[in-house]
Every structure is written in structure tokens, then in C-alpha cells.
Amino acid sequence: MANFGSPAHTAAMGNAAGMMVIAAAGVGLASAIGDGLAAAARARYEQRYDDALSAATSHADSMETLARTAMAMLAELEADNARLRAACRQRQEAINVMKARRA
């Protein structure tokens, strides 16, 4: 299409390079904003992950302490059980001896 020296066409052609620069800058800005948002989301995710990992580690430490305490208590109870069984066995033997003497 011929422009025949149209001032609008001349103005548009003169501004075309500037408009392309502005469009490229707009695309670059949008891309940078998207990258920034993605980086912020990644940082939030990593912070939540670190917090969850720290909480899990702390919980595991408390569970280990609890398990060690439970094992110590169990060992004490087993020792008490062994002493009580020995005492019951000794008493039963004494009872059997007394019964044998009476008979």
C-alpha cells in the first residue's frame, strides 16, 4: 500500500523503533517480575521446609529421650520383677518346708 507521503505513516514509521524498544522493555520487565515472584515463592518454600525439618528433628530428639527413659524404667521394673519372683519362690519353699514338718 502506498503511503504517498502521509504524515501519519511517516510518524508511525519514525516511532516504530521506539515502540519496539518499549515493547521489549515491557516483556523484559514482565519476565523479571515473574522471576522475582518465582524466587520469592521458592524462598518461602525453603523456609517452610527448613522450619518443618527443624520441628521434626526436635520431635525426634524428644522421642529419643523419651525412649531412653522408658528403657531405663523397663530395666528397673524387670529387676524388681526378678527380685519379687525370687522372694515369692523363697516364701513358697518356706511354706512347703513348714507343711512337710506338720505332716
Side-chain angles (χ1 to χ4, degrees), residues 17-92:
M19 289 197 287
M20 284 190 288
V21 168
I22 290 172
V27 169
L29 178 63
S31 177
I33 289 172
D35 291 346
L37 291 174
R42 179 71 181 169
R44 283 192 306 272
Y45 170 79
E46 288 178 0
Q47 183 61 43
R48 285 193 310 265
Y49 179 83
D50 291 345
D51 290 346
L53 183 61
S54 176
T57 302
S58 174
H59 182 69
D61 289 343
S62 10
M63 288 296 103
E64 180 183 8
T65 302
L66 179 66
R68 289 183 187 278
T69 303
M71 291 303 294
M73 292 173 73
L74 181 62
E76 290 175 15
L77 289 173
E78 286 176 346
D80 286 347
N81 188 14
R83 284 191 295 272
L84 289 172
R85 283 184 183 275
C88 287
R89 192 171 28 256
Q90 185 180 19
R91 286 182 183 158
Q92 187 60 47

